[in-house]
Amino acid sequence: MSIISTKNLTKTYIDGDVETKVLRGVTFNIKRGEFVAVMGPSGSGKSTLLHVLGFLDRHTDGTYLFEDKTIDDYTPEEIAHVRNKRMGFVFQAFNLLARTTVLENVKLPLLYSKIPESEWDALAQKAIISVGLSHRANYDTSQLSGGERQRVAIARALVNNPEVLFADEPTGNLDSKSGEAVIDILQRLNEESGHTVILITHEIHTAEHARRIIRILDGQIASDEVVEKQRRPGDSKLK
């Protein structure tokens, strides 16, 4: 069953008399539990696509279904709930709160949930453990390395146990070793916990961790293929 479905999806930005077409008739389906990399050069439209899929922006034309509903099928309150509960987001810039601990950052999405406050610490600790940072739970985020900060961002995205994890260039600010560790975590979350993962990247060695690679060029799908030899967690190269 597809959790995400697009058909002839377009996105056009208008600035005065200037129209910029960023997405041009994008069509694909993503099933629950898939790990999909959306790959393309800068300016290809891949981050815009993620924003549309994550209900962070509206498409201009075509159809987008998330769990068989379009964005117009949801009220603004329901959209906020879907983003908070059904989706998790990891961005290149980490977007952590300054002068707060790892635990406090990871608990943040729970402030907007219906989960009783008495359960927040346990849920946050579980997410922190899942990314291997239990020994850093009470550290200020300013004391962490870049790779550790991104792992905090992943834990925060996981705390509500979302159906889909969107990761937009999550290794872009990291060295190669830290980046590999972060992608390994995403792959394990997909394989062991069944999270649907949609990874935006311009790096082939990062995309090869996914089971499927959708390549975008000039706002259109250039190819959509299954990876025959998926890179395994911890591997430095394809087997």
Side-chain angles (χ1 to χ4, degrees):
M1 179 179 178
S2 296
I3 188 170
I4 283 173
S5 179
T6 73
K7 185 174 182 180
N8 296 326
L9 196 70
T10 68
K11 178 63 181 178
T12 302
Y13 291 104
I14 299 175
D15 184 5
D17 295 330
V18 179
E19 290 189 0
T20 303
K21 293 184 178 181
V22 182
L23 298 177
R24 304 166 180 261
V26 173
T27 299
F28 61 82
N29 296 314
I30 294 176
K31 296 179 181 178
R32 294 181 188 275
E34 278 199 90
F35 185 172
V36 180
V38 179
M39 186 181 170
S42 296
S44 61
K46 58 187 186 297
S47 290
T48 297
L49 177 61
L50 180 144
H51 290 165
V52 170
L53 299 182
F55 286 166
L56 300 172
D57 198 359
R58 285 179 174 265
H59 57 285
T60 304
D61 203 356
T63 304
Y64 168 43
L65 298 177
F66 178 78
E67 296 186 325
D68 295 324
K69 290 185 178 181
T70 72
I71 191 170
D72 292 324
D73 293 328
Y74 296 97
T75 66
E77 293 76 16
E78 288 171 338
I79 290 173
H81 174 77
V82 168
R83 282 198 301 253
N84 179 256
K85 180 64 179 174
R86 306 297 293 159
M87 302 174 175
F89 298 90
V90 181
F91 296 102
Q92 180 176 340
F94 315 142
N95 295 339
L96 301 180
L97 294 177
R99 296 181 295 280
T100 54
T101 67
V102 169
L103 183 64
E104 289 167 334
N105 268 278
V106 174
K107 286 196 295 185
L108 183 62
L110 299 173
L111 294 172
Y112 308 98
S113 73
K114 297 180 180 179
I115 297 172
E117 188 173 356
S118 60
E119 299 178 19
W120 291 0
D121 277 5
L123 290 171
Q125 290 284 7
K126 180 180 178 181
I128 291 168
I129 290 170
S130 73
V131 298
L133 284 180
S134 57
H135 61 300
R136 294 281 194 264
N138 295 313
Y139 277 57
D140 190 288
T141 54
S142 65
Q143 298 175 280
L144 306 181
S145 68
E148 288 173 330
R149 292 182 190 182
Q150 193 60 289
R151 285 153 69 186
V152 174
I154 294 173
R156 183 181 58 192
L158 285 174
V159 74
N160 272 325
N161 193 29
E163 179 67 34
V164 181
L165 277 174
F166 294 103
D168 191 0
E169 298 281 7
T171 64
N173 286 335
L174 305 179
D175 60 62
S176 58
K177 183 177 180 180
S178 297
E180 191 80 11
V182 164
I183 297 300
D184 282 351
I185 288 171
L186 293 176
Q187 189 171 352
R188 287 192 179 98
L189 289 170
N190 169 254
E191 294 180 348
E192 297 173 9
S193 303
H195 290 285
T196 305
V197 178
I198 299 176
L199 169 68
I200 303 296
T201 184
H202 65 277
E203 301 169 332
I204 184 59
H205 66 275
T206 298
E208 285 169 344
H209 283 267
R211 296 175 182 171
R212 175 182 170 195
I213 300 176
I214 297 174
R215 288 178 170 84
I216 290 188
L217 184 64
D218 297 329
Q220 296 178 305
I221 293 180
S223 64
D224 184 348
E225 58 188 1
V226 174
V227 178
E228 294 184 1
K229 295 183 179 180
Q230 182 189 17
R231 190 182 295 191
R232 312 306 301 167
D235 284 354
S236 60
K237 61 182 180 179
L238 290 177
K239 291 181 179 180

